[in-house]
């Protein structure tokens, strides 16, 4: 392939790549966050704990037979699998389920409005931890499920809470120990490497941040339309990539006490790392790249490394949209100067605190996060699932459309998973403001100055959100 990479090429190819196997759900998880789920004040107060009509001395899937609940999902592969198998749940339990599957952005707006009103039209909801965890946790809009998990009459014996990855459990758990949801899907940041380009120059796959820079230097050859690195450069989207990188310095940009660590030496060094790769080794125009342009550049076979979410493997392994089929090395997030973490995003199922049918809703959440349903989602290409057993499920593996190496990388990433984006209410504003700073850095701006300016702008927004 000798054509030069142009922005038109990227956009054209991204259409094909974006049509790849059911990657839409993960792409949504990694894409720029839509309109913020702001926390209007004052928040409505939750209702009483779970309503259980009858009790028994052992678990019974028919315990709530005859009940009807409403499930608010999202229009993505994960939601589709639940909706397509809903009769299985209804026959198993005798519970009737009304399913609503709006697009992600509309769903998030609906959630904010209804939770604030204190009258939700749904009993159980699928939501994104990396966007809504803080908002929901702060207002206690979803039910603490620990009592259910401890109750053998309410939790199926085959459910197996310990089967969920440590990363998934961490996402679902609040700082005070509450468990607000059942984790469903996790997306980890990984490094995609072009095996052919690495082999042609005898370069080893990266294990550390220094290796990444070294490989980029050795493989970068614009005269042959080969670029050492690519990643998100577009404002807002690029904050996700920077958050993946900063974990290598073992800090959270906003800690659990809501202190901003965005002007620390570690933050500045991570920003310099981002700037170096994007400014010196990325294709022309990378400041305008989101995930789709980055994916297209890598799929054209002209980029050595791409750092992004693990859910992009399916289109890269689809010959209809990729020239690197069978040539991709899936590399666990490399070790940084002070830590080795795979930044993650994630989704889960929570029970509305305002529901009067929490028992039946819990049954639905339990079924929707069961080994069987998550294995079906995995086989359908919905990406990394929150249960460990999925990755050894014979039926799921038999139907898998990406290499086994990808599965191994997902499992290894789960052992070092750590939240990528700050867990705050104004996460969209965070991405917007620091995204501008990162885009400016690609253009040559000083990282320390840009981070200070962005911090000064964002700090009052964060403080205001906590007072709301």
């Amino acid at each position: 392939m000798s054509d030069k990479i142009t922005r038109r090429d990227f956009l054209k190819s991204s259409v094909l790549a974006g049509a790849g196997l059911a990657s839409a759900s993960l792409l949504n998880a990694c894409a720029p966050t839509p309109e913020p789920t702001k926390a209007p004040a004052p928040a409505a107060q939750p209702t009483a704990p779970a309503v259980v009509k009858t009790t028994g001395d052992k678990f019974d899937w028919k315990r709530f037979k005859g009940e009807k609940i409403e499930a608010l999902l999202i229009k993505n592969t994960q939601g589709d699998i639940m909706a397509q198998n809903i009769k299985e749940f209804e026959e198993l339990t005798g519970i009737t389920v009304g399913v609503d599957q709006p697009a992600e952005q509309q769903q998030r707006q609906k959630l904010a409005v209804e939770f604030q009103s204190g009258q939700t039209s749904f009993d159980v909801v699928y939501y994104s931890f990396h966007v809504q965890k803080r908002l929901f946790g702060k207002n206690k809009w979803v039910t603490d499920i620990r009592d259910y998990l401890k109750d053998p009459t309410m939790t199926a014996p085959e459910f197996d809470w310990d089967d969920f990855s440590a990363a998934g459990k961490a996402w679902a758990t609040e700082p005070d120990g509450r468990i607000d949801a059942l984790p469903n899907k996790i997306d980890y940041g990984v490094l995609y490497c072009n095996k052919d380009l690495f082999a042609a120059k005898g370069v080893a796959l990266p294990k550390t941040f220094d290796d990444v820079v070294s490989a980029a230097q050795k493989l970068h050859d614009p005269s042959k339309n080969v670029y050492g690195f690519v990643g998100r450069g577009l404002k807002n989207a690029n904050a996700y990539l920077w958050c993946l990188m900063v974990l290598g310095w073992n800090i959270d940009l906003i800690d659990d006490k809501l202190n901003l660590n965005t002007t620390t030496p570690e933050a500045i060094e991570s920003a310099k790392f981002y700037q170096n790769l994007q400014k010196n080794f990325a294709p022309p125009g990378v400041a305008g790249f989101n995930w789709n342009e980055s994916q297209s550049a890598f799929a054209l076979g002209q980029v050595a490394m791409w750092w992004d979410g693990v859910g992009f493997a399916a289109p890269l392994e689809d010959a209809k949209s990729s020239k690197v089929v069978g040539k991709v090395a899936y590399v666990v997030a490399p070790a940084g100067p002070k830590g080795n973490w795979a930044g993650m995003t994630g989704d889960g199922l929570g029970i509305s605190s305002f529901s009067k049918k929490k028992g039946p809703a819990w049954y639905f959440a339990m079924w929707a996060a069961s080994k069987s349903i998550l294995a079906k989602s995995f086989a359908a290409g919905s990406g990394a699932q929150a249960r460990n057993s999925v990755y050894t499920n014979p039926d799921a593996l038999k139907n898998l459309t990406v290499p086994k190496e990808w599965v191994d990388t997902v499992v290894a990433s789960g052992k070092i998973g750590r939240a990528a984006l700050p867990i705050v209410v104004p996460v969209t504003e965070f991405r917007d403001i620091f995204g501008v700073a990162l885009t400016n850095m690609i253009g040559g701006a000083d990282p320390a100055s840009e981070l200070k300016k962005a911090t000064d702008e964002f700090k009052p927004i964060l403080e205001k959100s906590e007072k709301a």
Side-chain angles (χ1 to χ4, degrees):
M1 188 168 47
S2 60
D3 295 343
K4 287 188 175 182
I5 300 177
T6 66
R7 182 171 176 79
R8 175 175 296 180
D9 289 330
F10 294 140
L11 293 173
K12 181 179 179 182
S13 298
S14 70
V15 173
L16 296 174
L21 173 64
S23 57
S25 58
L26 272 178
L27 303 187
N28 285 340
C30 299
T33 309
E35 289 302 310
T37 46
K38 297 180 183 298
Q45 294 301 307
T47 59
V51 175
V52 180
K53 283 187 175 180
T54 58
T55 58
D57 59 2
K58 64 180 180 180
F59 180 81
D60 181 2
W61 276 111
K62 296 291 187 183
R63 183 173 184 164
F64 300 104
K65 181 180 179 180
E67 295 275 12
K68 185 177 188 305
I69 60 170
E70 300 296 328
L72 180 57
L73 310 178
I74 295 176
K75 186 58 184 172
N76 59 14
T77 303
Q78 208 83 358
D80 288 345
I81 293 296
M82 295 177 202
Q84 290 163 9
N85 289 276
I86 204 70
K87 285 194 177 301
E88 173 188 305
F89 174 76
E90 292 181 334
E91 291 174 1
L92 177 68
T93 63
I95 299 169
T96 303
V97 184
V99 175
D100 187 13
Q101 267 191 285
E104 184 177 76
Q105 183 173 348
Q106 285 70 41
Q107 194 247 27
R108 288 176 180 171
Q109 293 169 344
K110 179 183 177 75
L111 286 176
V113 171
E114 293 200 12
F115 271 133
Q116 176 59 29
S117 74
Q119 294 182 336
T120 57
S121 60
F122 51 85
D123 301 289
V124 58
V125 60
Y126 187 88
Y127 69 98
S128 297
F129 297 132
H130 53 281
V131 176
Q132 294 151 308
K133 176 175 177 173
R134 175 61 181 159
L135 177 65
F136 288 12
K138 180 171 180 282
N139 292 300
K140 297 184 178 179
W141 282 341
V142 281
T143 303
D144 181 358
I145 61 172
R146 286 179 296 178
D147 285 346
Y148 293 143
L149 289 171
K150 290 185 292 188
D151 184 350
T153 73
M154 283 294 287
T155 297
E158 69 274 17
F159 182 68
D160 193 4
W161 171 244
D162 289 337
D163 184 41
F164 288 91
S165 67
K169 289 179 179 177
W171 261 130
T173 304
E174 294 294 320
D176 63 1
R178 283 183 296 133
I179 301 177
D180 276 356
L182 288 177
N184 207 269
K185 190 176 67 177
I186 307 296
D187 192 35
Y188 304 102
V190 300
L191 198 62
Y192 299 92
C193 296
N194 185 313
K195 292 179 181 177
D196 282 359
L197 294 179
F198 274 76
K201 291 196 174 181
V203 177
L205 294 174
K207 294 182 179 179
T208 68
F209 280 28
D210 287 343
D211 291 344
V212 173
V213 174
S214 176
Q217 290 172 331
K218 293 174 181 175
L219 301 176
H220 188 63
D221 189 353
S223 68
K224 296 181 180 178
N225 298 321
V226 173
Y227 301 89
F229 182 88
V230 72
R232 303 181 188 198
L234 185 67
K235 72 173 184 178
N236 182 298
N238 53 9
Y240 166 72
L241 176 56
W242 178 46
C243 287
L244 295 181
M245 294 174 169
V246 79
L247 294 179
W249 277 264
N250 203 28
I251 66 165
D252 295 312
L253 290 171
I254 302 177
D255 65 25
D256 57 4
K257 293 183 173 55
L258 301 181
N259 296 310
L260 278 163
N261 296 317
T262 45
T263 56
T264 62
E266 291 85 358
I268 294 170
E269 287 304 309
S270 65
K272 289 179 179 177
F273 179 73
Y274 173 90
Q275 180 187 47
N276 182 28
L277 290 170
Q278 294 282 70
K279 180 174 180 286
N280 298 317
F281 306 112
V286 72
F289 283 19
N290 200 336
W291 59 263
N292 51 343
E293 289 87 0
S294 301
Q295 173 184 290
S296 297
F298 188 84
L300 285 170
Q302 294 176 316
V303 173
M305 294 176 286
W306 171 34
W307 201 336
D308 214 302
V310 74
F312 297 101
L316 296 179
E317 299 293 345
D318 184 349
K320 295 178 182 177
S321 58
S322 173
K323 295 184 178 182
V324 295
V325 176
K327 302 176 181 178
V328 182
Y330 300 94
V331 178
V332 177
K338 296 184 178 180
N340 189 190
W341 301 97
M344 62 178 187
T345 58
D347 302 332
L349 284 147
I351 301 167
S352 169
S353 290
F354 306 103
S355 170
K356 298 184 185 303
K357 299 179 180 179
K358 293 187 176 68
W362 162 246
Y363 270 38
F364 178 87
M366 189 166 48
W367 168 82
S370 65
K371 294 178 181 178
S372 171
I373 292 299
L374 294 195
K376 289 177 181 177
S377 296
F378 185 63
S382 185
Q385 304 297 308
R387 281 187 176 274
N388 294 324
S389 62
V390 164
Y391 304 103
T392 56
N393 183 295
D395 290 336
L397 293 174
K398 184 175 64 178
N399 296 315
L400 200 64
T401 58
V402 295
K404 178 64 165 53
E405 178 188 354
W406 176 84
V407 178
D408 296 338
T409 299
V410 170
V411 174
S413 297
K415 297 176 182 176
I416 56 171
R418 179 169 169 176
L421 291 161
I423 303 174
V424 296
V425 173
V427 67
T428 297
E429 290 88 336
F430 173 88
R431 294 176 64 151
D432 284 341
I433 293 169
F434 285 92
V436 170
L438 293 164
T439 299
N440 291 342
M441 291 177 210
I442 295 174
D446 175 59
S449 301
E450 289 295 322
L451 290 180
K452 184 179 185 309
K453 187 166 57 177
T455 300
D456 291 343
E457 182 178 352
F458 179 70
K459 187 175 181 180
I461 296 173
L462 177 64
E463 292 173 347
K464 183 179 179 181
S465 75
E466 286 303 308
K467 294 176 181 175

